[in-house]
């Protein structure tokens, strides 16, 4: 793992809904070069674990942002569960694009939940979207759950027993559950152990305020009981009309069963698998990840 996080050129906030969306720009938006917007995962994580992608700013402006309820954006811990919807985050993305003056010309890379959000954005055929990268994302949460069950079956029996015990008892906030979760995460979420500081910070932000993550996903990556549990975009993927790159890792919790619909249903989509990575190839194989994304954004 070798990469450097480039310093930001500017940071700011834009009003949205009941708060503000925080953003970070690396590069010059006035350069005339199509910028790349990055949508982070969770839902409920932060931009931090995607900071390795500031490496792409050598060729174009790169925009990170924290989704509302997350990181440096406004936290709304008292919001009703019904507040946290896919449409909310789509509206936030549209608002950010408008406020930054780039709605007519941008690329979009979404990672994990961010890729789900990016696909939802793309099926609406926004005029300014030029290229789309869907990284380590399921096209269907039922398929994601199916993949998780398959991976859990490969865990040591005592680890899986601990997970089941606490899920059944609804004691997923216990230290024992957290320890068993880590066994899965070290295999299928980030194989760089200990995690890089920016990855640890993103996970820490979910622990500090789990409002969005618990409401929409659940207590862990593989125990999905939140409002997204039935989400799917499979039948709408043929509506995406921009060049699309699909990325995943060989050890990814986003197994082929839940990633394949993107490659199969989006016209002309390319699918690249990172042989040494799980869910975060941007930190597990950072140089190759940047090379693959950069080549795609250049149209190669």
């Amino acid at each position: 793992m070798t990469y450097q996080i480039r310093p930001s050129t500017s940071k700011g906030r834009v009003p949205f809904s009941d708060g503000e969306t925080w953003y970070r720009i690396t590069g010059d938006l006035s350069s005339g070069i199509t910028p790349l917007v990055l949508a982070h995962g969770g839902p409920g994580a932060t931009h931090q674990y995607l900071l390795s992608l500031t490496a792409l700013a050598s060729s174009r402006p790169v925009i990170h942002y924290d989704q509302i309820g997350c990181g440096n954006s406004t936290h709304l811990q008292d919001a009703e569960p019904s507040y946290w919807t896919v449409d909310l985050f789509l509206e936030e993305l549209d608002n950010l694009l408008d406020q930054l003056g780039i709605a007519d010309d941008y690329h979009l890379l979404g990672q994990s939940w961010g890729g789900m959000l990016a696909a939802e954005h793309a099926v609406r055929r926004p005029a300014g979207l030029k290229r789309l990268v869907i990284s380590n994302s399921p096209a269907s949460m039922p398929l994601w759950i199916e993949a998780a069950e398959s991976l859990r079956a490969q865990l040591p029996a005592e680890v899986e027993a601990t997970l089941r015990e606490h899920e059944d008892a609804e004691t997923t906030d216990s230290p024992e559950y957290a320890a068993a979760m880590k066994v899965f995460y070290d295999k299928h979420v980030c194989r760089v152990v200990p995690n890089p500081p920016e990855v640890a910070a993103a996970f820490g932000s979910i622990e500090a305020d789990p409002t969005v993550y618990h409401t929409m996903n659940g207590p862990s990556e593989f125990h999905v009981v939140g409002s997204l549990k039935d989400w799917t975009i499979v039948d709408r993927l043929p509506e995406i009309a921009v060049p699309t790159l699909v990325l995943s890792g060989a050890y990814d919790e986003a197994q082929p069963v839940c990633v394949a619909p993107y490659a199969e249903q989006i016209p002309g989509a390319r699918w690249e698998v990172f042989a040494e990575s799980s869910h975060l190839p941007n930190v597990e194989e950072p140089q190759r990840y940047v090379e693959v994304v950069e080549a795609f954004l250049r149209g190669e």
Side-chain angles (χ1 to χ4, degrees):
M1 183 194 73
T2 55
Y3 56 83
Q4 290 186 324
I5 296 171
R6 296 178 57 153
S8 63
T9 305
S10 62
K11 300 176 183 178
R13 298 174 182 273
V14 296
F16 174 70
S17 185
D18 295 325
E20 294 178 318
T21 302
W22 176 93
Y23 65 86
R24 177 194 199 277
I25 301 172
T26 311
D28 181 6
L29 284 187
S30 67
S31 65
I33 301 171
T34 303
L36 173 65
V37 179
L38 304 174
H40 66 70
T46 67
H47 76 285
Q48 290 158 301
Y49 76 94
L50 294 176
L51 282 171
S52 62
L53 300 185
T54 56
L56 291 162
S58 60
S59 301
R60 64 187 42 76
V62 173
I63 301 165
H64 291 77
Y65 75 103
D66 282 337
Q67 295 158 23
I68 195 163
C70 310
N72 296 314
S73 292
T74 305
H75 288 240
L76 298 167
Q77 293 167 299
D78 295 328
E80 292 294 325
S82 59
Y83 176 80
W84 304 107
T85 64
V86 174
D87 283 343
L88 172 76
F89 293 104
L90 287 171
E91 291 166 10
E92 179 184 37
L93 176 56
D94 286 343
N95 181 67
L96 179 67
L97 297 171
D98 287 338
Q99 293 289 326
L100 294 180
I102 60 171
D104 60 348
D105 184 32
Y106 60 96
H107 304 307
L108 179 60
L109 184 156
Q111 199 280 333
S112 195
W113 147 252
M116 298 157 62
L117 183 65
E120 287 275 10
H121 180 77
V123 298
R124 290 157 172 76
R125 296 191 174 187
L129 178 61
K130 300 300 187 266
R131 287 180 172 263
L132 175 67
V133 182
I134 298 172
S135 185
N136 316 94
S137 305
S140 155
M141 288 306 282
L143 291 176
W144 170 273
I145 295 167
E146 177 184 328
E149 290 296 325
S150 174
L151 294 175
R152 285 178 62 152
Q154 301 170 34
L155 294 174
E158 65 275 13
V159 173
E160 174 62 2
T162 298
L163 294 173
R164 294 289 177 196
E165 174 188 346
H166 289 286
E167 288 165 1
D168 291 344
E170 298 185 358
T171 53
T172 53
D173 57 350
S174 71
E176 294 80 12
Y177 189 79
M181 276 174 52
K182 189 175 186 305
V183 176
F184 182 98
Y185 283 32
D186 287 352
K187 289 177 177 288
H188 302 300
V189 179
C190 184
R191 295 168 69 85
V192 179
V193 180
N195 294 161
E198 66 275 14
V199 175
F203 282 128
S205 69
I206 295 177
E207 293 178 15
D209 182 1
T211 303
V212 182
Y213 188 72
H214 283 185
T215 300
M216 297 185 74
N217 184 81
S220 71
E221 291 291 276
F222 45 77
H223 187 49
V224 181
V225 293
S227 59
L228 282 176
K229 66 181 183 298
D230 298 318
W231 176 88
T232 182
I233 198 170
V234 172
D235 60 343
R236 293 176 285 147
L237 291 174
E239 297 300 313
I240 294 178
V242 294
T244 301
L245 175 65
V246 181
L247 305 175
S248 65
Y251 303 96
D252 205 331
E253 57 181 339
Q255 288 284 287
V257 67
C258 61
V259 177
Y262 288 121
E264 294 168 354
Q265 299 295 328
I266 298 174
R270 290 168 39 198
W271 186 5
E272 190 87 24
V273 178
F274 290 82
E276 303 300 323
S277 295
S278 58
H279 198 51
L280 300 181
N282 62 295
V283 298
E284 295 166 294
E285 295 180 68
Q287 182 174 344
R288 180 163 175 255
Y289 189 97
V290 167
E291 289 171 352
V292 168
V293 172
E294 176 62 37
F296 171 71
L297 295 180
R298 287 200 305 261
E300 297 176 4

